[in-house]
């Protein structure tokens, strides 16, 4: 299919900068022992903002194969926005990725699609790759409207994003009912929505963009279920929460082909 799989670990609000260094080192040793080819399966670490500098120092200093990024950014580039972090600041720390529109931001910080769209464009202004999260809640799933719901989010979140930028974006399909609950979407559930996302990218942009964009699945991904999810044609990787802060578990997820 030509798309490089991406395993992204969203640490959420876990690990201080000291613990972060331990995790990166343990993960590096484990993947080194397994002779992991980072060009074959890309690995991204998404720590809290306060850990980014120590992750950068380790990754750059020791020439580790990880990419890294942040879990959020401001829609603004600079100014009087107390508590916010700009795309320029993340770019300066050599971040590759930034998560945008995670369901926890939508739920606890009232981020709507207009904000997610502004943040997506802010990331692209600073040459960061946004990992744009979409996904339905339990009610929508019960009503069988998941595809419709996710495509409406996608349309709004990508509004005014030009085709030349769209090909580099990563989309993460995360059914809200499967996040941190132990409930995983079945591989077929994941494929249904990921395929619909890719089809819509074709309609919004072009067949080339649809073929290039990586669509991840997220929601209780573990070593035990990752291979079945990755076997789906339109799933190009995983956005991993809980299991990403255990080096053994995350290494097993990264090594899903073993
Ligand atoms: O960003 C990651 C997702 O929210 C999934 O989290 O693997 O803990 O269910 P989880």
């Amino acid at each position: 299919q030509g798309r490089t799989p991406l395993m992204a670990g969203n640490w959420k609000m876990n690990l201080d900068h000291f613990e972060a260094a331990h995790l990166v080192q343990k993960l590096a040793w484990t993947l080194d022992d397994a002779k992991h080819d980072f060009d074959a399966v890309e690995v991204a670490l998404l720590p809290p903002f306060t850990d980014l500098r120590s992750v950068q120092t380790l990754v750059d200093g020791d020439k580790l194969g990880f990419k890294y990024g942040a879990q959020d950014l401001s829609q603004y580039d600079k100014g009087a926005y107390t508590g916010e972090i700009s795309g320029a600041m993340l770019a300066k720390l050599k971040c590759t990725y930034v998560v945008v529109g995670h369901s926890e931001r939508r739920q606890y910080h009232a981020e709507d699609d207009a904000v997610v769209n502004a943040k997506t464009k802010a990331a692209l202004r600073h040459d960061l790759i946004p990992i744009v999260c979409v996904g339905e809640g339990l009610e929508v799933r019960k009503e069988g409207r998941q595809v419709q719901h996710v495509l409406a989010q996608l349309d709004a979140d990508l509004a005014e994003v030009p085709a030349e930028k769209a090909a580099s974006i990563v989309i993460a399909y995360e059914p809200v009912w499967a996040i941190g609950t132990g409930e995983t979407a079945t591989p077929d559930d994941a494929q249904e929505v990921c395929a619909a996302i890719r089809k819509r990218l074709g309609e919004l942009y072009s067949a080339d963009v649809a073929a290039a964009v990586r669509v991840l699945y997220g929601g209780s991904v573990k070593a035990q279920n990752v291979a079945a999810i990755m076997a789906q044609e339109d799933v190009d990787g995983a956005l991993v929460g809980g299991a990403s802060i255990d080096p053994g578990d995350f290494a097993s997820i990264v090594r899903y082909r073993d």
Side-chain angles (χ1 to χ4, degrees):
Q1 58 179 204
R3 295 181 293 272
T4 305
L6 170 62
M7 293 299 173
N10 175 10
W11 299 1
K12 305 195 178 183
M13 197 173 71
N14 294 294
L15 310 185
D16 60 36
H17 76 285
F18 207 71
E19 295 164 328
H22 278 264
L23 177 56
V24 174
Q25 279 162 340
K26 280 192 185 163
L27 209 48
W29 290 329
T30 309
L31 293 177
D32 195 45
D33 279 349
K35 303 206 179 333
H36 183 69
D37 179 356
F38 286 90
D39 292 327
V41 177
E42 200 182 325
V43 185
L45 308 175
L46 306 165
F49 290 130
T50 49
D51 296 353
L52 278 171
R53 183 64 161 166
S54 55
V55 170
Q56 180 206 4
T57 303
L58 270 174
V59 169
D60 285 359
D62 291 342
K63 300 200 177 354
L64 304 178
F66 302 112
K67 306 259 177 64
Y68 56 87
Q71 300 170 15
D72 185 32
L73 84 169
S74 172
Q75 62 186 292
Y76 306 110
D77 289 342
K78 67 184 293 188
Y81 300 102
T82 302
E84 294 280 66
I85 300 290
S86 73
M89 293 167 178
L90 299 178
K92 192 91 175 179
L93 284 169
K94 299 191 189 162
C95 288
T96 301
Y97 293 104
V98 61
V99 178
V100 172
H102 192 280
S103 63
E104 288 150 16
R105 300 292 314 173
R106 293 179 190 256
Q107 186 179 347
Y108 305 130
H109 301 272
E111 290 190 8
D112 59 13
D113 286 314
V115 171
V116 176
N117 175 246
K119 290 187 171 191
T120 300
K121 290 187 282 190
L124 292 169
R125 274 199 299 282
H126 296 284
D127 294 325
L128 299 162
I129 299 175
I131 300 176
V132 181
C133 299
V134 292
E136 81 286 356
L138 190 56
E139 285 307 306
V140 171
R141 166 64 59 167
K142 280 184 180 160
E143 291 163 11
R145 291 190 295 109
Q146 61 274 10
V147 168
Q148 192 188 330
H149 178 88
V150 164
L151 296 186
Q153 287 181 317
L154 191 71
D155 290 352
D157 296 346
L158 299 187
E160 296 160 18
V161 171
E164 65 271 18
K165 299 267 188 181
S168 71
I169 287 179
V170 175
I171 307 292
Y173 167 54
E174 298 208 311
V176 180
W177 48 272
I179 295 177
T181 58
E183 290 277 333
T184 320
T186 66
D188 287 346
D189 289 340
Q191 169 60 18
E192 178 200 33
V193 180
C194 291
I197 289 171
R198 194 175 310 287
K199 183 163 175 275
R200 182 61 129 238
L201 290 167
E203 291 158 4
L204 290 173
Y205 297 104
S206 65
D208 284 351
V209 169
V213 168
R214 289 177 296 177
V215 183
L216 313 184
Y217 168 78
S220 298
V221 172
K222 299 180 187 63
Q224 295 81 347
N225 58 26
V226 63
I229 292 166
M230 289 303 293
Q232 301 302 309
E233 190 181 342
D234 288 292
V235 178
D236 305 313
L239 183 56
V240 185
S244 74
I245 55 172
D246 181 300
D249 287 351
F250 192 54
S252 299
I253 289 170
V254 167
R255 303 285 306 158
Y256 69 96
R257 288 169 166 168
D258 287 358

